[in-house]
Amino acid sequence: MLAVHAGAGGNSGRTITGNGSNPKLNNAYIALQAWKSAIKDDPKGILNSWVGSNVCTYKGVFCADSSVSGTTVAGIDLNHGGIEGILVKELSLLKDMSLLHLNSNRFSGTIPDSLKDLFALTELDLSNNQFSGSFPTITLQIPNLLYLDLRFNLFSGPIPDSVFNKNLDAILLNNNNFDGQIPQNLATSPASVINLANNKFTGDIPISFGYSSPGLREILFLNNQLTGCIPQGIGLWSDLQVFDVSFNSLMGHLPDSVSCLEDIEVLNLAHNQLSGELPDLVCELKSLMNLSVAYNFFSGFSQECAKLYGRNVDFDFALNCIPGRQMQRPEPECDMIPGGSLSCLRIPSMKSLSCGSLLKSLNSSNP
């Protein structure tokens, strides 16, 4: 049985002197004081309360009481503190900490290798800071981590295959300077949310995309430098709700297997070089709330797509090559369709596609 309580922001309450009878709190005191000494600026005075040995009264520190192991630090939340400093190796002393939330501060440098010893840590939020260097692979060695948020930092270089092998539920890597190709094992990830937006990834979306368990709810590739086709296997993610590949250089026709995305709410394909007709099967998706195909080279759509407005679906098809529609590209731009010779893997006779047999069809299409 655990009882969780947070620091009150001062030294009110019972004072623990030395914590000699509680080695976990004594280690927490050592860790937090070492960290405090590495802080350069604390504009909101959050760490003013980090005085004395009773760490459970420190602002942003959450303690838990256990009848088995006594009182221990269970989490730290310093979100939106504007704190400037670095992370210190002594944080590994917080063996029972399950969450570390440092969103919207000014922490910089790299992630200490010692963090791999945080066996209880399940949530690590380092977003909106100034961390830099290559992908912090040490975070993937934290044994029980489920939530990894590295958004809005200065990380650069490729991301390792191992990020998609780890049992993570959320992988949030957007708004960094990651580059190179997206690892081919993307589809092996059990995550429900994957955000790779606003980086510098190049190459194709991995061909295995979609060949995995259907637990993915959101995947965002927007604003990278991706090329090639949208893989046919996208249709296997029957639980997908958000799919955003806008602001890339994808070409070819939209696969009809998109029609298998029965739960899709946001489908953003804008600002690419996609062509062909927008399939009826896509516009018939019942859960659609937002469909954007603007700034592509689509040549038409049928009455089913025209009915989207009556369903209160936000449908944007501006700047394409659709005859008789307003706000389309000038005719000269439509004379040369980008990627006209691009060969994408497609299942023949997709008009009568049965989503239940999609996996079988895909397997038979591959040697």
Side-chain angles (χ1 to χ4, degrees):
M1 188 71 176
L2 290 176
V4 179
H5 50 96
N11 284 324
S12 58
R14 181 171 56 91
T15 301
I16 301 173
T17 304
N19 290 320
S21 60
N22 190 328
K24 292 187 175 182
L25 288 183
N26 190 54
N27 282 338
Y29 174 77
I30 294 171
L32 295 175
Q33 289 301 316
W35 193 15
K36 182 180 179 181
S37 68
I39 300 302
K40 295 180 179 179
D41 188 28
D42 177 19
K44 297 183 179 180
I46 293 173
L47 304 188
N48 290 344
S49 66
W50 288 26
V51 177
S53 58
N54 188 359
V55 297
C56 295
T57 64
Y58 289 10
K59 189 172 183 178
V61 175
F62 294 80
C63 288
D65 296 322
S66 169
S67 57
V68 177
S69 57
T71 303
T72 187
V73 171
I76 295 176
D77 186 340
L78 299 179
N79 285 351
H80 304 284
I83 297 170
E84 179 183 0
I86 61 172
L87 304 185
V88 296
K89 67 181 189 302
E90 287 84 357
L91 289 172
S92 63
L93 294 172
L94 302 172
K95 302 294 186 185
D96 297 303
M97 180 171 61
S98 63
L99 65 86
L100 178 59
H101 290 178
L102 303 178
N103 179 305
S104 301
N105 285 285
R106 291 176 289 157
F107 289 109
S108 60
T110 57
I111 314 303
D113 288 350
S114 61
L115 262 60
K116 69 180 185 299
D117 297 328
L118 294 175
F119 294 99
L121 193 67
T122 59
E123 297 184 17
L124 179 61
D125 183 354
L126 304 179
S127 61
N128 199 18
N129 279 284
Q130 298 169 14
F131 292 110
S132 59
S134 59
F135 185 95
T137 54
I138 197 65
T139 60
L140 304 178
Q141 297 181 41
I142 300 173
N144 295 300
L145 194 66
L146 297 174
Y147 179 95
L148 177 62
D149 191 346
L150 302 179
R151 295 176 292 174
F152 294 94
N153 277 288
L154 303 172
F155 293 115
S156 59
I159 60 175
D161 294 3
S162 51
V163 71
F164 298 124
N165 290 333
K166 189 167 177 63
N167 187 32
L168 293 168
D169 182 60
I171 302 172
L172 307 176
L173 308 181
N174 53 291
N175 296 82
N176 279 281
N177 293 311
F178 291 123
D179 58 25
Q181 295 195 351
I182 297 171
Q184 289 296 311
N185 66 331
L186 166 69
T188 66
S189 174
S192 63
V193 179
I194 299 176
N195 194 338
L196 305 177
N198 301 312
N199 281 288
K200 299 175 181 178
F201 292 116
T202 56
D204 297 348
I205 296 175
I207 194 65
S208 62
F209 176 67
Y211 289 67
S212 67
S213 59
L216 190 67
R217 300 294 191 274
E218 301 181 16
I219 189 161
L220 296 94
F221 298 101
L222 68 104
N223 197 25
N224 280 285
Q225 300 164 25
L226 299 175
T227 55
C229 310
I230 296 176
Q232 185 75 46
I234 182 179
L236 293 177
W237 264 313
S238 57
D239 294 330
L240 197 64
Q241 297 172 348
V242 177
F243 180 66
D244 192 335
V245 291
S246 60
F247 292 92
N248 282 287
S249 298
L250 299 171
M251 298 181 182
H253 293 189
L254 184 64
D256 281 359
S257 61
V258 172
S259 65
C260 297
L261 303 178
E262 296 179 352
D263 292 335
I264 197 75
E265 298 176 2
V266 177
L267 182 58
N268 194 344
L269 313 172
H271 292 267
N272 280 284
Q273 300 175 29
L274 299 167
S275 57
E277 289 205 1
L278 191 61
D280 280 357
L281 294 169
V282 174
C283 294
E284 290 173 351
L285 289 166
K286 301 303 182 186
S287 299
L288 262 183
M289 299 172 62
N290 185 304
L291 172 61
S292 181
V293 298
Y295 291 86
N296 278 287
F297 291 85
F298 286 108
S299 56
F301 59 80
S302 70
Q303 282 300 110
E304 277 306 319
C305 295
K307 292 177 184 177
L308 289 174
Y309 293 111
R311 291 169 45 194
N312 293 320
V313 175
D314 187 1
F315 178 34
D316 186 359
F317 59 88
L319 277 296
N320 277 281
C321 298
I322 305 174
R325 298 286 179 173
Q326 295 182 343
M327 296 185 65
Q328 298 299 295
R329 291 180 182 274
E331 281 190 29
E333 291 186 15
C334 297
D335 290 341
M336 290 288 292
I337 302 296
S341 61
L342 184 67
S343 176
C344 298
L345 170 64
R346 294 291 179 256
I347 301 172
S349 304
M350 290 296 294
K351 196 72 176 178
S352 59
L353 172 69
S354 169
C355 295
S357 62
L358 178 58
L359 180 58
K360 182 178 179 181
S361 300
L362 284 167
N363 287 336
S364 64
S365 299
N366 289 293

